[in-house]
Amino acid sequence: MQHRFGPGRLFLLFILIFSVFFASSVLWSLQKKEIDSIQKSRELYQINYFVGEKFLSAYLKYKINDSQAWKILIGERNHQRKENPDPSMPGYTPSFLSEAELFALMDQSGQSSRLRTLYRTTKVQTGARFHPVGTTSDSLLLADAGDVLAIMDENIEALECYKKSNRLRPSDEVRRKILETQLSAELYTEFCAAMRDPAFFQTAGDELHYKFFLKEGQYQKMAFPLFRSQFQKYSWEYVLAAAVSGFGWLILCLHLGNAWRWKFREKLLILPALFLGAASTYVTILVVVIEENYFPYSRIKKTVIIDLLYFVLGVGLREETLKLLFAAALFPFLRKMEHLKIVILMSIVGLGFAIEENVLYYNMQGGIAVMGRFLTANFFHMTLTAFCGTSLFYAFKRSEWEIFFQTFGLMILLHGLYDFFLTQSDILGDASILAMIGYIWLSRQYFIMLREGGRLERPKFPLSAVFVIVLAVSAGIAQLMLAADYGPIPGFFRTVASSLGFILITVMFFREFGDA
């Protein structure tokens, strides 16, 4: 007999679970370490120069000798004056500190003379270039000047400072900055020449190694440094968040497929399917890096047509093809399995890809991405791979190749259009609604495909209740992550705001589960 949960009980279940996470976020905020003020200042500068300088100057009043903070303050100030030197021109943003106040703040530190020199030698004068930084023999000051100039996007001048500093006093840190600046300035020939020097190669990390091998065309040597550099960027909080969210969808997927009734040898395929999907993510990253080297989409002028072609023939084709290649490794074990089980295993391959991809997005966007990725990316990749993988399996088994190519082409198109519409709000207005329409249509087709193998059995514990539990846990994770950055109450409002746009999708899932 199946337990039934009405809307009221489901709502209370959600509130109960989320409350535990909210209380945890409050306790964590009381005990957590001081926020990363340097990272926070960078984020504020991206939003508004005046606000960024106000925050950083306040931070420096009690961390007066933080050299990294001083370099950011000086670099952003000089960059702003370089871009907007005339107060009468549109777009001019005043500084929070007057120059007299800036010098007074410098005087409070124990390095006033050094900071004033750094400020003046990197300052842009109207109609003039930079002051000749290289006249000083202080290698540390030259390196600091290079850091400031790099913040100002003056990579050529920064590179000269780093080179002069390294000649006066060679150091591994400055060598790495030379290599990074050469890449930023797109001086690829000079970068490769430097990397052939053992002194530079040995101090370069995995990211610089893979970029060197990429430019040299040594792709077989590039793969492992590329993968290691990705692992090094991961934060355990984001890995855990993606794993918990993904585990929730795995439970839902197994409930949909009545997996508790599977044979033992069939259950043994579940984890390999998940890992195959995750592994396909790394091959996708490898292909992306190689493609970007030959077709630099990130550096070309964007148009609607170029974006559309990129998302359909780039993102959609690439990801669906690679997921499908890894899913095909399961085909020898599926020959005697029922249709529903094949669909579920192909779905799990897509889920494995989504979990690994979520870690990348969480690293880039933080907690604000959790709810959106939970409600869209996980299930979207599940459905896409389910359609492609199942149709390919039957193409091999029954020679249904025409159906496969139609299905595969449609999934590539839907994937590309979905990503395209999500990124075109500046040009096409609120085009994301078109992405959601496509997502809901595909999701409904997926549930229809699940029923093609026969009537779905209803599990004893309702799917709607499982979904609410997983939804509440994911919302709780978003609350924890956002509270760590903004505090419990602002984090709560951001969690709610990041969830509101997906109410229609949530309703769609409840309708399809049909047991609430």
Side-chain angles (χ1 to χ4, degrees), residues 123-332:
K123 185 177 179 181
V124 177
Q125 304 294 331
T126 304
R129 293 301 295 164
F130 297 101
H131 288 284
V133 180
T135 56
T136 177
S137 61
D138 188 336
S139 65
L140 294 177
L141 182 59
L142 282 164
D144 287 345
D147 292 342
V148 171
L149 291 165
I151 292 170
M152 297 168 62
D153 293 328
E154 295 294 340
N155 292 311
I156 301 300
E157 284 81 0
L159 186 58
E160 290 305 311
C161 288
Y162 290 141
K163 287 179 177 179
K164 290 174 182 176
S165 174
N166 193 57
R167 284 197 293 268
L168 290 170
R169 196 185 70 167
S171 73
D172 291 346
E173 182 181 4
V174 174
R175 289 192 187 103
R176 281 193 295 272
K177 289 178 178 178
I178 289 173
L179 295 169
E180 290 165 355
T181 309
Q182 287 168 337
L183 284 175
S184 298
E186 299 184 4
L187 301 173
Y188 301 127
T189 302
E190 190 174 331
F191 166 74
C192 291
M195 282 292 286
R196 295 187 193 101
D197 183 341
F200 280 83
F201 187 86
Q202 292 170 8
T203 60
D206 285 322
E207 187 167 0
L208 292 172
H209 283 159
Y210 95 70
K211 289 179 179 178
F212 168 63
F213 291 131
L214 174 66
K215 295 302 177 185
E216 294 283 281
Q218 301 181 49
Y219 302 130
Q220 73 281 5
K221 294 183 179 180
M222 181 187 77
F224 287 111
L226 171 62
F227 299 155
R228 286 195 299 267
S229 71
Q230 289 297 318
F231 282 123
Q232 291 161 8
K233 295 175 183 176
Y234 288 173
S235 164
W236 70 266
E237 295 99 329
Y238 297 150
V239 173
L240 182 61
V244 171
S245 174
F247 179 74
W249 271 110
L250 178 62
I251 297 299
L252 279 166
C253 191
L254 296 177
H255 267 61
L256 284 169
N258 311 317
W260 61 90
R261 295 183 180 274
W262 290 12
K263 297 175 184 177
F264 178 73
R265 62 179 180 81
E266 294 171 338
K267 293 177 181 178
L268 289 177
L269 296 174
I270 293 171
L271 284 181
L274 196 67
F275 287 122
L276 282 168
S280 69
T281 313
Y282 290 94
V283 180
T284 302
I285 293 171
L286 180 64
V287 173
V288 168
V289 169
I290 296 173
E291 283 184 356
E292 181 68 18
N293 189 49
Y294 289 103
F295 307 103
Y297 171 77
S298 61
R299 300 198 298 274
I300 63 175
K301 184 179 180 180
K302 307 297 189 296
T303 66
V304 172
I305 300 300
I306 288 176
D307 284 349
L308 180 61
L309 290 173
Y310 171 76
F311 285 113
V312 174
L313 300 179
V315 178
L317 177 61
R318 177 176 62 224
E319 293 187 5
E320 297 314 313
T321 300
L322 292 171
K323 283 188 294 179
L324 193 57
L325 290 175
F326 277 79
L330 294 173
F331 287 177

Side-chain angles (χ1 to χ4, degrees), residues 77-79 81-86 99 103 116-132 149 152 154:
R77 188 183 182 92
N78 285 344
H79 182 263
R81 296 290 75 83
K82 179 190 75 171
E83 296 295 322
N84 300 288
D86 188 351
E99 192 157 281
F103 289 152
R116 286 177 181 243
T117 301
L118 185 62
Y119 175 63
R120 287 173 174 146
T121 55
T122 58
K123 185 177 179 181
V124 177
Q125 304 294 331
T126 304
R129 293 301 295 164
F130 297 101
H131 288 284
L149 291 165
M152 297 168 62
E154 295 294 340

Side-chain angles (χ1 to χ4, degrees), residues 10-20 472:
L10 289 173
F11 180 73
L12 288 175
L13 180 63
F14 179 91
I15 294 299
L16 178 64
I17 296 171
F18 182 78
S19 297
V20 173

Side-chain angles (χ1 to χ4, degrees), residues 105-116:
L105 188 61
M106 290 179 178
D107 291 340
Q108 296 176 30
S109 72
Q111 47 183 345
S112 175
S113 175
R114 181 186 186 83
L115 291 172
R116 286 177 181 243

